[in-house]
Amino acid sequence: VAVHSENRSRGAIWDALQRKEVYATSGPRILLWFDLDNAKSPDGAPGVAPMGATVAMDDAPSFTVRAVGSFKQNPGCPEHSIQRLGKDRLQRLCQMECYNPSSERKRITRIEVIRVRPQNVANEDVASLIQDVWKKHDCPEDASGYTFTFKDDDYVAGNRDTTYYVRAIEEPSMSVNGGNLRCERDAEGNCIKIKPCYKDYRTDKTDDCLAEVEERAWSSPIYLNHPKGLMRTAEAQ
């Protein structure tokens, strides 16, 4: 989990968790921002609402996503880790492979936007309401990160509360246990038998099941309350 906090104090981190200004990654330290650009404060003043926010909205929402890939890793452990813990302990803890970033970042290849809306009636088909993926944007080959803006012109006429969140997908990289379901293939390359990587006596202990995966980061949602959606809720209560 990553938090957008004002500083690294315990109180600031708990505050960020409480306001849901947090996101998750599949492991790497990907940087991610997701903001509603045309939010309004209770007094009507324009402003920006970050991921995790709940906003009453009667205009078409406009959003900005910014993502930066994680640092590519150097092999082994940095000198300061070796000095503090010693080679023997690092070998026992992590087989001498530490967080050891280079100055080069991995590329974000695409941004995916997910839109979720509630049912208007109990038997309404949810397949069209849970839109994964609703929008997809392919990013240029730029390791410095990418910014993507989008708007939902359907929101106002849709008369529904709506939830949005985003995923930032990183370029493929090798990962331990990335190939946990491997195939035994025939001469034509077809998978004829699954050979799981069990990571116990059934798999060679030197086999890390390495395979390419697309690491990613998921934002917290932004929750929009539609005026007519709020009216329906009040009538139901």
Side-chain angles (χ1 to χ4, degrees):
V1 63
V3 301
H4 289 173
S5 60
E6 294 181 1
N7 53 60
R8 295 183 179 182
S9 69
R10 182 180 299 180
I13 291 171
W14 278 113
D15 288 344
L17 290 167
Q18 276 197 315
R19 65 178 181 266
K20 306 183 186 72
E21 200 172 340
V22 300
Y23 65 95
T25 83
S26 55
R29 301 182 187 192
I30 299 168
L31 306 180
L32 180 63
W33 296 263
F34 176 40
D35 298 311
L36 172 66
D37 296 328
N38 58 338
K40 293 180 181 179
S41 63
D43 61 4
V48 174
M51 64 176 78
T54 300
V55 181
M57 194 86 181
D58 54 8
D59 298 323
S62 178
F63 302 89
T64 296
V65 186
R66 181 172 176 243
V68 183
S70 62
F71 285 112
K72 293 182 178 180
Q73 296 294 301
N74 292 315
C77 294
E79 187 60 32
H80 63 79
S81 295
I82 297 172
Q83 290 176 354
R84 287 178 173 85
L85 297 175
K87 290 184 178 180
D88 290 343
R89 190 176 182 194
L90 286 172
Q91 180 64 35
R92 185 171 69 254
L93 290 173
C94 58
Q95 298 183 0
M96 281 297 290
E97 287 296 336
C98 304
Y99 179 70
N100 192 10
S102 68
S103 59
E104 185 180 0
R105 287 188 179 272
K106 296 178 184 176
R107 185 170 70 90
I108 297 295
T109 59
R110 67 185 184 276
I111 304 292
E112 297 176 344
V113 183
I114 294 81
R115 183 174 73 173
V116 182
R117 295 171 293 173
Q119 293 170 301
N120 272 338
V121 293
N123 61 350
E124 186 177 10
D125 181 19
V126 299
S128 63
L129 301 177
I130 303 173
Q131 295 173 288
D132 185 1
V133 175
W134 175 54
K135 289 182 181 292
K136 185 183 79 168
H137 187 81
D138 293 324
C139 303
E141 294 191 14
D142 185 354
S144 65
Y146 191 68
T147 299
F148 166 53
T149 60
F150 66 95
K151 189 176 181 181
D152 186 0
D153 291 319
D154 302 329
Y155 172 77
V156 175
N159 296 340
R160 298 178 195 257
D161 300 342
T162 308
T163 298
Y164 308 83
Y165 71 93
V166 298
R167 288 192 292 256
I169 313 298
E170 204 171 59
E171 65 180 274
S173 58
M174 299 298 286
S175 176
V176 172
N177 210 30
N180 54 354
L181 290 178
R182 297 175 293 187
C183 280
E184 182 179 314
R185 300 184 182 275
D186 61 19
E188 286 74 39
N190 300 309
C191 183
I192 57 175
K193 183 180 179 181
I194 296 294
K195 297 175 63 178
C197 184
Y198 293 103
K199 298 307 294 179
D200 59 20
Y201 67 91
R202 291 169 290 181
T203 304
D204 190 306
K205 67 179 181 179
T206 62
D207 186 351
D208 287 329
C209 307
L210 288 173
E212 280 194 337
V213 300
E214 290 182 309
E215 306 285 7
R216 57 197 60 205
W218 299 261
S219 75
S220 284
I222 293 177
Y223 308 90
L224 296 191
N225 290 333
H226 193 289
K228 293 188 177 179
L230 291 173
M231 289 170 60
R232 283 197 307 274
T233 302
E235 289 168 0
Q237 291 175 345

